[in-house]
Amino acid sequence: MTKALSIENLGKQYRIAGKEHFWALKNVNLSLEEGSVLGLIGANGAGKSTLLKILSRITAPSEGRVLAYGKMASLLEVGTGFHPELSGRENIYLNGSILGMSRASIRKQFDAIVDFAGVERFLDMPVKRYSSGMFVRLAFAVAAHLDAEILLIDEVLAVGDADFQKRCLQRMDSLAKEKARSIIFVSHNMGAISGLCDQVAWLDQGQIKQIGEPSAVIEAYLKGLETLQADIAIADRRDREGDGRARLTSLEAHNGEAKKSIAQNGPLQVDLSWQSNSEAKSQRIELHLFNSRGNYLSSFKHDLSPKQKQCSLKLTKVPLMPGRFFFNVHLYLDGIRADFVGRAVYFEVIGKDWEANEIAAQRQNPGIVLEANWLSEA
Amino acid sequence: MAKSPSLEISAKGSSLRKQVNELWQYRGLGISFAKRDFQVRYAQTFLGPLWALLQPLLSLGVLYLVFQKALNANTEGVPFISYTLSGLIFWGFFNFNLSQGSASLIQARGMLQKIYFPRLLLVLSKSLVALVDLLFVLLIFLFVAFADAHFSFATLAGFLGALILSLLASQGLALWFAALSVRFRDLQQLIPFISQMLFFLSPIAYSPDLWTESIPLKYQDLLYLNPMMGILEMWRAPLFELENLTLSDLPWWGIIWCFSLFISGWIYFQKSERKMADLL
């Protein structure tokens, strides 16, 4: 195995508002083998983009170093440097050279790029007249034909339709496997990460928390996301959104006796209270139910008079499979979101027999139990 | 078998040799930038590249009305049109580099946050565009002022000297302004003003005597703080046979000033390059 990239003791310090210093990255050590794909995962602000920016030389590190064995190219966003007034043909050359290709190698790849993007008929039209789908396809096509040995890719797949995304993933896969390109891939899409990567590194607060085989790291990351947020009281949560006119101060899920763990098909109550300093005319609470994988299951909405500062949601019967679930909470004042807390409260559904619980623990993707009967003649 | 790394990224900056090497590696991109500027410039205009000929002619017309008809400016005995056109050749080049180069980083900020390439290219590539413009004006000049001009080896040397000096001075200023305007956006407002001021302070449509006669002899070298002074002197002296410049008569202070603008601009630009993406 030959090394393609080695990151040694890398750190990046930012200065906020002139005084405070903070390390966006600290003591990061990684290495990438030739022809392998390394996935980077982590919460927003964990340092993934900072790491990519250093690797792609957009910003300089504060300490440590990176050694690259081969030409490196970054795709932090497809279509960077495209000029709307220029034609597709001219943009292929311009974008190719911005991404570090020589004119000769662009010429060699030209037909393949056009073919991949499927824009033959529009080659001499200014790209400002392209549909957004065509634009993205052309942009990715140029990027996908880079002759660099090391590719840095950030959420490229967030664009385009499902069919095109699939082709992008296949292209990345074949670049790594057939052409021995080494890839660092950053994404929030755990499906893409586990499907493409040979190795996954989990960044947490600027440091590498875990690195290894994809499924193990992804599992640990998702679990960590849960415990991290479940352990913080809602009033102390910093990662909230909304304009701040109101703030949720307490939130609890229980069944009257036990907190956080409820029986399958038993009752569940969620108590909420909040503060607001605004003279809103109306308030609305929305609770969205997800399973531990982050798959959406159901919603509950409630309109309140402006004076109320607390309410409860009571579910008489919870037909969920055994496993962990959580609610996202939105609080709207006059129809505009004032507060939002993701994964605000967790609860555990316990089944009646241990076998079901065991399966649920392994599957980690619990769903809904629907009442039904099989109709079949003996 | 340990391969040696082809790239090292660290907190330290790179040496001048590496910088120049890298610029050479990326030369294709510099040409692409210049090409893009050309292709975009006259997109969807009716007259297209004809504008490159029309613009200098139009400004010549205005200058004729103001400086010749209204003010009857002294042009060292050379016909006004020829004299002014000879100045516009280099002023256009200088001004394009200065104003376009200064704005180039802010204009390309989207790219600067996404992709690496030597940032210098954005500023330097403007010179290629400016050079083509210069050739257009030179063409007009050769048509219009052929009878008034004197062509000799000295004229060619004067032309090349003036070209190099205006390249160095305008690029030097542009490098300073481009790097500074990332930090201080106010400069974006100031640059059109600076360019306008420089135009009126430069002996383009009038003789430099206007300045030399009104300033005491011992302070006259200060006039070379305006790079256009030295540039135009070097170019016009042999062209119109105004004076016989020997080596010691060359505007040395002007030359030194142009070089130091470029060198200091380069150094400051490279120093701030590493922080640019964080500031934009």
Side-chain angles (χ1 to χ4, degrees), chain A residues 18-49:
Chain A
K19 281 184 236 155
E20 253 181 293
H21 293 272
F22 106 103
W23 289 91
L25 276 184
K26 186 87 180 143
N27 296 329
V28 172
N29 288 284
L30 278 174
S31 75
L32 181 65
E33 304 292 340
E34 211 168 84
S36 73
V37 184
L38 172 74
L40 276 182
I41 58 176
N44 286 330
K48 303 185 302 280
S49 330

Side-chain angles (χ1 to χ4, degrees), chain B residues 116-136:
Chain B
Y116 175 81
F117 52 86
R119 274 46 171 137
L120 267 170
L121 277 181
L122 281 174
V123 186
L124 294 182
S125 68
K126 298 293 178 193
S127 286
L128 288 177
V129 186
L131 190 66
V132 175
D133 280 356
L134 178 142
L135 291 178
F136 272 107

Side-chain angles (χ1 to χ4, degrees), chain A residues 84-376:
Chain A
E85 296 286 353
L86 298 182
S87 70
R89 182 191 306 278
E90 289 161 341
N91 265 310
I92 291 177
Y93 279 98
L94 177 63
N95 196 238
S97 57
I98 288 174
L99 293 170
M101 286 166 94
S102 68
R103 284 190 84 78
S105 89
I106 301 170
R107 211 169 298 132
K108 222 172 71 190
Q109 300 267 32
F110 191 85
D111 292 337
I113 292 172
V114 173
D115 199 43
F116 187 89
V119 293
E120 299 86 340
R121 285 166 45 220
F122 310 99
L123 265 184
D124 293 304
M125 189 162 99
V127 297
K128 67 177 176 185
R129 304 213 195 292
Y130 277 34
S131 72
S132 59
M134 277 159 63
F135 181 87
V136 167
R137 288 207 303 275
L138 182 62
F140 187 85
V142 178
H145 291 81
L146 287 176
D147 49 3
E149 283 100 16
I150 307 163
L151 289 170
L152 313 168
I153 302 179
D154 186 11
E155 298 275 16
V156 173
L157 307 162
V159 290
D161 53 36
D163 184 49
F164 187 68
Q165 287 191 10
K166 216 170 102 194
R167 274 170 68 200
C168 297
L169 285 168
Q170 283 166 353
R171 174 74 190 173
M172 275 171 62
D173 206 34
S174 75
L175 277 177
K177 303 234 156 68
E178 289 152 30
K179 307 210 164 168
R181 304 285 165 77
S182 323
I183 299 177
I184 292 190
F185 178 44
V186 172
S187 179
H188 283 112
N189 180 343
M190 294 303 145
I193 290 270
S194 68
L196 275 175
C197 300
D198 306 303
Q199 216 185 14
V200 173
W202 167 16
L203 270 175
D204 184 42
Q205 297 180 15
Q207 307 202 339
I208 292 187
K209 184 136 181 179
Q210 194 178 341
I211 179 161
E213 197 261 323
S215 61
V217 180
I218 290 174
E219 206 59 47
Y221 165 67
L222 288 175
K223 237 194 174 85
L225 214 57
E226 267 172 43
T227 48
L228 187 78
Q229 288 163 339
D231 289 348
I232 302 175
I234 190 162
D236 299 332
R237 287 278 297 270
R238 307 285 296 276
D239 53 339
R240 48 212 310 156
E241 291 167 26
D243 61 15
R245 283 173 300 153
R247 278 177 88 84
L248 290 150
T249 50
S250 84
L251 180 56
E252 218 161 77
H254 61 88
N255 66 355
E257 299 149 21
K259 277 182 194 172
K260 303 221 163 183
S261 86
I262 65 155
Q264 187 175 22
N265 286 325
L268 169 70
Q269 186 166 330
V270 184
D271 297 331
L272 303 113
S273 66
W274 60 92
Q275 288 173 344
S276 98
N277 48 11
S278 118
E279 306 272 309
K281 292 191 187 66
S282 73
Q283 301 186 97
R284 189 169 86 244
I285 284 280
E286 281 185 20
L287 288 168
H288 298 281
L289 178 65
F290 296 82
N291 73 8
S292 52
R293 261 293 154 89
N295 292 322
Y296 170 75
L297 296 175
S298 187
S299 290
F300 309 90
K301 299 181 186 176
H302 187 41
D303 288 306
L304 301 125
S305 74
K307 291 216 177 66
Q308 282 169 286
K309 293 286 180 278
Q310 61 182 56
C311 68
S312 295
L313 170 73
K314 192 168 165 70
L315 288 82
T316 44
K317 188 180 167 200
V318 179
L320 296 173
M321 294 180 188
R324 276 169 78 76
F325 299 84
F326 64 86
F327 284 108
N328 285 355
V329 187
H330 302 253
L331 176 55
Y332 290 87
L333 300 185
D334 292 335
I336 295 164
R337 191 159 72 165
D339 198 14
F340 162 77
V341 181
R343 297 174 187 256
V345 65
Y346 277 88
F347 62 94
E348 196 106 22
V349 173
I350 311 290
K352 287 200 179 67
D353 58 291
W354 66 268
E355 213 177 328
N357 293 335
E358 197 66 16
I359 291 166
Q362 281 165 16
R363 198 192 305 112
Q364 285 286 330
N365 195 5
I368 298 178
V369 182
L370 297 175
E371 267 179 32
N373 294 307
W374 283 105
L375 305 176
S376 62

